[in-house]
Amino acid sequence: MSNMNNKQEITREEGAVLWFDGKKINEAVFCEEFIKDFPMVCLNNTFFTVDGMVSDESAIKQEIYNRIKPYIVTGLSKRVTSIVDVLKLECAVKSMPIYLDRIHVANGTYFLKQGFTEKKMFCRNRLPVAYNPDAPKPETWLRFLSELLNDEDIPTLQEFIGYCLIPSTKGQKMLLLTGKGGEGKSRIGLVLRALLGDNMNTGSIAKIETSPFARADLENELVLLDDDLKLEALPQTNHIKAIITAELPMDLEKKGKQSYQGDLYVRFLALGNGTLQSLYDRSLGFFRRQIILTAKEKAADRTDDPYIAEKMCLEAEGIFLWALEGLRRLIQNDYRFTISDAAKQNMESAVADGNNVIEFLASEGYVRFADGVYTSSKNLYGVYKLWCDDNALPPLSQRSFCAYLKQNENTYNVTYTNKISIGRGKYVRGFVGIEALQVPLFKN
């Protein structure tokens, strides 16, 4: 909307306007003229131009105000609001295509196969960074990464940042970067802002599960950055899992408005001192959606450069080419990320931390797996609680314990049944293929 004032003067010099009859403004005619001067479309009550989503309508309102104030003297604010509402109807569209084969950059459009063109088109997201094939190598950025991450984890970050350049959820992953603090992780967020601009939100991942309106704030956004991941376990994980793997429109709700179906393709990137945990979701489905990278400890003799973020942001065009290389590699691998052995171990540790039943079932001296053996759910859970007490760990609920083992029957080669005999003609629920090796103590 930066060229509005120039066009406004041209319109006034051309003479009388068609939308004013001397007494009233014809809002429909006004909007037709306005859209000719400033082409835009409106989807789900949001304006889009060739520069992407209009996140702030103030520029549009200011231009409308400047155009109508010579003709009316009272009720200007209400009239501007009314015209904006009519404008949304005038340029409303039922849908906007989501293209995975191109990136809308500041100076045109980069097609992943055909290459670059200066031509621009209506889009949901236009990045503030320009495509410059001759941009110098981002030496400061690469040196920063070499100090922050192990070499084998840098390709993962490269692929994930590249993944964030297009509106896709095909990778079905979120990225967590953890450390003890002071490593410089937050600088990644500043670099992402230079690449993505207003197409990135900063906020809390946990809020997605606790606020009914948080999901609507992520519509048309490429990334949600949580640069201070809270360590409190999530009360639920349904919305986070659904967004990470979203392929169909989702139900979104804005405060005071009727819910509607909208497209979400936002990716989650979290920085913190721990991993994402859940109070009740012990499924592998929750953890398999996470990539967990660990930052190197800050070297004792390292001297931090207070201007490093600014220096890296000046390398945005080179960083864009670096990320583009990661995106190409990710697509060639069918959206399967490069995962180092260390990152795989991080995942296994996160699963064990979130669900100590896994560690219990792998322990020695408490249970054994064999054909023909069996135990009741009560006895098995009692031995699990004994193991937790021996290891000073809090036990999960009996319901969560049994649910996990039932969901992973094939993994442990056990079978859930309600035909476990406990004598005297009594049969209870339990598992075949696992035997309790300890006698649990039950309180009377």
Side-chain angles (χ1 to χ4, degrees), residues 38 111 150-151 367:
F38 309 106
F111 290 86
N150 293 317
D151 291 345
V367 295

Side-chain angles (χ1 to χ4, degrees), residues 20 23-25 27 65 68-83:
F20 186 70
K23 294 182 179 180
K24 296 180 180 180
I25 292 177
E27 294 181 349
Y65 169 79
I68 69 173
K69 69 179 181 180
Y71 303 97
I72 61 174
V73 294
T74 60
L76 271 170
S77 178
K78 291 183 179 179
R79 180 53 60 89
V80 169
T81 301
S82 174
I83 291 175

Side-chain angles (χ1 to χ4, degrees), residues 182-240:
E183 304 92 350
K185 301 185 297 295
S186 61
R187 302 296 187 275
I188 291 177
L190 297 174
V191 171
L192 278 176
R193 179 66 72 186
L195 292 178
L196 304 178
D198 292 337
N199 299 295
M200 179 182 83
N201 269 3
T202 55
S204 169
I205 290 177
K207 187 178 178 182
I208 297 169
E209 296 294 350
T210 57
S211 170
F213 311 117
R215 296 182 297 282
D217 292 338
L218 302 178
E219 188 180 17
N220 304 309
E221 297 291 347
L222 291 171
V223 172
L224 170 64
L225 174 72
D226 188 337
D227 61 359
D228 187 17
L229 183 66
K230 297 185 180 301
L231 300 183
E232 293 88 349
L234 298 171
Q236 60 184 33
T237 61
N238 296 9
H239 296 309
I240 291 175

